[in-house]
Amino acid sequence: MATVNAAPKTLMQRFLDGVEKVGNMVPHPVIIFLILIAIVIALSTVLGAFGTAVTYERINPDTHEIEEASTAIRSLLNADGIRFLYESLVPNFMAFTAVGLMIAAMIGAGVAEESGLVTALIHKLVAVSPRWALTYILAFVGILASIAADAGYLVLIPLAGIAYLAVGRHPLAGLALGFAAVAGAFTVNMLIKPLDTVLVEFTNDAAHLVDPNRSIGLASNLWFSIASVLFLTVIIAFITDRMIAPRLGAYNPENASAGTTTDQSAMLGEQESRGLRFAGFGLLGLIAVFCFLTIPSWGPLRDPTTGELIGSSPFMNGLITLIVLMFLVTGWAYGIGAGTLRTLTEVIGAIEKSIKNMGGTIFLFFVLSQFVAYFTYTNIGTVMALSLSGVLQAANIGALPLLLGFIVVVAIIDLLLTGAIAKWAIFAPVFVPLLMKLGVEPEAVLAAYRVGDSPMNAITPLNAYFALVVGFAQKYDKSAGVGTIVSLMLPYVVWIFVLWTALFALWKALGLPWGL
């Protein structure tokens, strides 16, 4: 990565440069995952031959009842494993939800980008925001983007790169900022989101093992989550401005990939302003439609059983649809107003262009989906998680040290098992009852899980969107690779994990309420 930075580099900057250099020496991400697939096959064969297994209690995701289960390492080279390898090639890819989500999101985002709406909005944001506040605004919005599940990866991260480019800063710093905000704080928000519903249900199921009358609500971590959002916004913005941006230095547009637009300096003209007005009208119309579908008690997007809108309702579960429609409607409306996309044929052309550009990413996801499926089939990650939790459970230590040890274990396992729900189904029946017997409220255990589960999302290659961020980076720097992203994200991961854990410990020590 070429930088223009005359100031001597600090020890940390030299270390991160070394991480980037070594990381970028590794092969193409597709080759990396092919190697990992070979390792998983070999490891499963060896461990399966020795009959490696573990017995534990878990929450049944369908009945929400506690049940005893035994998990053994399954070989991929015995008869069952070979049949799985042969039969699951296409189903593995079809079940990889990141692909469908990415394509759906790009339908709307492609129209918004091709029409010029994205650029116009960034220019507007830059014009109305003080320069010092842009980083904080992007970090804050990135954390809140988790309300739309994984859509933040596809929308906020590239927008952060464009926003930084628009103010003359290095776009990779913007991408790093967006990735840290979306991934590193994924489990907290200022609003109740669908993930909270599942996590709370599993927590209550585990708490009932000790006290059948003890339950927590959807807002049981609300105060801690709100404080975490504000706290992490400051941390992420500070790291970006003081560590990431200085290391990258000035941006050289010559490093950009062919076809990448780097001129973001033009001010809004009359056509662009008219397009934004049209986009605003389109957005208001869309909001009116969704108000009709959600506000009345009979609204079809409310929960058909409870009538609730927030929580596990069709509206919350299908927020990606709202995201797609929002970009599609406002993008086309902007195109009509600005004269860039007038006809439906032109809109379809914009969608086709955005999807064509994802060919390499889709192939990478195909290989990645096989690795994730094979790793899940072998149960290697589950056995490792249970083994580590068993060691921590057997340790004769106090409540707060046990909570802190629990955060560390969750973080380690998150490098291998990235799904927040799957891990909590394993950890909840172990640690919630154990800590409740030590006088720790279940709200605190769930808050500890949120802290441990998030930061590593920004550095593990098993995050389905890690490879996508590498692709975003290569638009601005042809030489960017896995090492580039790892070196950019390491400071975020370390400091978020350390300082967020410290905030949790202080919160617990002061006895502050976790939520409603």
Side-chain angles (χ1 to χ4, degrees):
M1 170 190 320
T3 61
V4 181
N5 190 358
K9 292 187 175 182
T10 65
L11 179 62
M12 176 59 70
Q13 288 175 338
R14 292 197 299 271
F15 168 74
L16 294 175
D17 287 346
V19 171
E20 178 181 358
K21 183 177 180 180
V22 173
N24 285 343
M25 291 173 61
V26 301
H28 190 283
V30 170
I31 299 177
I32 294 175
F33 282 108
L34 290 175
I35 294 173
L36 290 175
I37 287 174
I39 293 174
V40 168
I41 292 175
L43 195 59
S44 71
T45 302
V46 174
L47 295 178
F50 282 98
T52 307
V54 63
T55 301
Y56 61 101
E57 288 185 334
R58 70 172 184 180
I59 298 175
N60 187 303
D62 298 321
T63 64
H64 299 288
E65 295 179 352
I66 306 298
E67 61 182 17
E68 186 173 288
S70 178
T71 298
I73 299 295
R74 295 200 288 180
S75 172
L76 283 165
L77 288 185
N78 58 19
D80 289 337
I82 292 173
R83 280 192 286 267
F84 175 78
L85 290 173
Y86 180 76
E87 296 176 344
S88 66
L89 188 70
V90 174
N92 291 342
F93 183 57
M94 298 298 290
F96 200 60
T97 56
V99 178
L101 181 64
M102 178 183 67
I103 294 176
M106 290 308 296
I107 290 175
V111 173
E113 183 175 2
E114 188 69 14
S115 68
L117 173 62
V118 173
T119 301
L121 285 174
I122 293 299
H123 287 158
K124 191 70 173 179
L125 174 64
V126 171
V128 301
S129 302
R131 185 181 176 88
W132 65 267
L134 181 62
T135 300
Y136 291 86
I137 292 172
L138 291 172
F140 180 70
V141 174
I143 296 174
L144 295 187
S146 64
I147 190 69
D150 293 346
Y153 287 100
L154 302 166
V155 178
L156 191 281
I157 295 176
L159 287 183
I162 296 173
Y164 259 48
L165 186 61
V167 295
R169 304 183 69 180
H170 205 299
L172 291 190
L175 293 179
L177 161 69
F179 194 21
V182 173
F186 188 77
T187 53
V188 292
N189 207 293
M190 286 189 163
L191 302 171
I192 304 299
K193 56 184 181 178
L195 175 65
D196 295 321
T197 303
V198 181
L199 295 182
V200 167
E201 285 181 359
F202 283 6
T203 304
N204 285 331
D205 293 337
H208 294 162
L209 292 173
V210 176
D211 183 356
N213 298 318
R214 183 71 166 92
S215 296
I216 64 175
L218 283 175
S220 58
N221 279 168
L222 184 60
W223 302 139
F224 179 72
S225 291
I226 291 175
S228 295
V229 169
L230 300 175
F231 183 69
L232 294 177
T233 295
V234 175
I235 291 175
I236 292 171
F238 183 85
I239 293 173
T240 303
D241 288 339
R242 298 301 180 90
M243 298 182 65
I244 306 302
R247 173 174 170 254
L248 291 171
Y251 178 57
N252 182 3
E254 294 180 0
N255 293 329
S257 300
T260 299
T261 301
T262 57
D263 182 11
Q264 302 287 341
S265 58
M267 299 300 293
L268 289 179
E270 182 179 348
Q271 285 185 317
E272 289 78 10
S273 298
R274 184 168 182 266
L276 286 178
R277 289 196 298 272
F278 274 55
F281 296 148
L283 180 61
L284 290 176
L286 186 65
I287 291 175
V289 171
F290 273 85
C291 285
F292 176 76
L293 297 174
T294 56
I295 292 180
S297 58
W298 45 262
L301 295 186
R302 288 180 172 271
D303 189 303
T305 303
T306 65
E308 294 181 352
L309 181 62
I310 304 300
S312 185
S313 66
F315 174 73
M316 296 298 293
N317 292 336
L319 270 180
I320 183 61
T321 304
L322 175 59
I323 297 294
V324 172
L325 289 175
M326 182 178 66
F327 279 99
L328 186 62
V329 170
T330 57
W332 192 4
Y334 176 90
I336 294 174
T340 54
L341 285 182
R342 294 184 180 277
T343 67
L344 182 59
T345 300
E346 291 176 326
V347 171
I348 294 174
I351 295 172
E352 291 176 344
K353 180 180 178 181
S354 66
I355 294 178
K356 285 178 182 177
N357 293 335
M358 294 190 299
T361 303
I362 291 175
F363 175 62
L364 175 59
F365 277 13
F366 176 80
V367 178
L368 177 57
S369 68
Q370 307 308 316
F371 170 73
V372 172
Y374 298 163
F375 188 79
T376 303
Y377 175 87
T378 62
N379 292 324
I380 292 175
T382 302
V383 170
M384 181 177 291
L386 291 167
S387 299
L388 283 176
S389 66
V391 171
L392 190 60
Q393 182 182 8
N396 187 20
I397 56 179
L400 183 56
L402 184 58
L403 278 169
L404 299 180
F406 172 61
I407 291 175
V408 173
V409 168
V410 172
I412 293 172
I413 295 302
D414 194 51
L415 291 170
L416 301 175
L417 295 176
T418 58
I421 294 175
K423 288 196 302 294
W424 192 228
I426 295 172
F427 284 131
V430 175
F431 287 100
V432 172
L434 173 64
L435 286 159
M436 285 181 66
K437 293 175 183 178
L438 295 176
V440 178
E441 60 272 38
E443 295 93 333
V445 188
L446 179 56
Y449 179 72
R450 295 180 190 274
V451 175
D453 181 67
S454 293
M456 295 301 176
N457 291 332
I459 202 170
T460 172
L462 294 186
N463 182 340
Y465 298 101
F466 185 91
L468 189 64
V469 177
V470 175
F472 289 151
Q474 289 174 343
K475 291 179 59 179
Y476 301 109
D477 188 340
K478 299 186 294 291
S479 63
V482 173
T484 303
I485 302 305
V486 171
S487 67
L488 289 174
M489 302 316 299
L490 262 178
Y492 293 109
V493 171
V494 172
W495 286 110
I496 288 176
F497 181 77
V498 171
L499 296 178
W500 198 5
T501 301
L503 174 66
F504 171 85
L506 180 64
W507 199 284
K508 174 63 179 171
L510 295 177
L512 299 176
W514 300 100
L516 296 177

